[in-house]
Amino acid sequence: MTRVEQVTEPCAQHGEGPVWHPAWRGLRWVDMLAGDVLTLRRDGSVQRAHVGSVVAALRPRRSGGAVLALERGFALADDSLTAVVPMEDLWSDTGVRMNDGGCDPQGRFYCGSMAYDEATGRGRLYRLDTSRNVTVVLSGVTISNGLAWSPDGRTAYYVDTPTQRIDAIEHTAGDFSRRRTLTHIDPALGAPDGLTVDAGGDVWVALWGGGAVHRYSPRGELLDVLNIPAPRVTSCTFGGPSCTDLYVTTSRQATDLTAHPESGALFVARGAGRGLPALTFDG
């Protein structure tokens, strides 16, 4: 059984979106509603950079720096996250915010939105092209989450959390088609949230309210369960020098902190599998 270790103190009110990139000297993730990007230093301490009122996701840029999803749109930043240049807001509705995203193998960045009150169908999934044009890829989404690609880049795995599904979507030149259900998760086990795909094509998904990460085969078979000592598990990614350590983010939102004081900490399962390098934004 893979051992799960606590890496940090509870440092995020709502930790999300972890990504490992060598040029950043390790792991970054977001404290979403605080608008902060967190960086895990080599000594185990956490560096915090404030980049906006909300920061939903980030990925490295091929040319250096980072691409960010802020509350209502995208932004570019330098490696130190001290110079953040927002793009034009994609909408004016203050009741909707960005929530989770990732890059495809061709260097485009995606992020999906949701209503603050989680109203049905008010979210969308947006694609930021390398030319910096923005396109709506999916609409009628409620809580857009967990976007990652198969090793061959032909399949995108996507979560709209209230559906309790991980969906597999054919991916060609930035467009999605032939959406199908990879697996349906029993609500008693938690709700699917952020996810990652390993080098063998297996899908690892965080379970909000389930205190676990599940690993599924490309055929939707449950292969493994990693129990996390915090109920609100939000996302996961592979990292470390050999990309074999699974890092897991958690949240303190709607949590009994007396029963679960570790909530909001970063966890790791060392040697859990073998991940893929972070995909970069090529704009």
Side-chain angles (χ1 to χ4, degrees), residues 65-244:
V67 61
L68 307 167
L70 302 181
E71 186 174 28
R72 293 191 290 276
F74 298 108
L76 300 177
D78 61 351
D79 273 324
S80 67
L81 302 173
T82 55
V84 178
V85 182
M87 300 180 195
E88 185 177 354
D89 282 355
L90 298 177
W91 63 87
S92 59
D93 185 350
T94 59
V96 176
R97 64 168 173 84
M98 289 290 201
N99 193 57
D100 197 6
C103 287
D104 70 16
Q106 290 74 42
R108 295 170 283 245
F109 182 54
Y110 300 70
C111 198
S113 62
M114 61 172 286
Y116 277 101
D117 64 4
E118 302 181 8
T120 301
R122 289 185 65 193
R124 293 177 170 182
L125 179 64
Y126 296 88
R127 183 185 72 228
L128 176 65
D129 293 327
T130 57
S131 62
R132 303 188 191 178
N133 291 323
V134 178
T135 302
V136 175
V137 178
L138 296 174
S139 58
V141 173
T142 301
I143 303 178
S144 188
N145 255 317
L147 182 63
W149 272 259
S150 61
D152 64 8
R154 296 178 182 176
T155 303
Y157 295 103
Y158 177 72
V159 167
D160 183 1
T161 293
T163 68
Q164 291 293 139
R165 301 192 315 258
I166 302 172
D167 286 346
I169 309 173
E170 289 189 17
H171 173 252
T172 306
D175 294 324
F176 289 170
S177 63
R178 297 187 182 181
R179 184 172 174 176
R180 62 182 174 84
T181 299
L182 177 73
T183 191
H184 183 277
I185 296 170
D186 186 336
L189 300 176
D193 202 319
L195 57 77
T196 192
V197 177
D198 67 22
D202 293 340
V203 180
W204 303 67
V205 62
L207 293 183
W208 175 266
V213 174
H214 281 191
R215 175 188 171 202
Y216 292 93
S217 76
R219 295 169 297 282
E221 305 156 323
L222 179 61
L223 301 177
D224 198 7
V225 175
L226 293 180
N227 293 313
I228 309 297
R232 306 295 190 185
V233 184
T234 56
S235 193
C236 55
T237 196
F238 281 95
S242 301
C243 210
T244 56

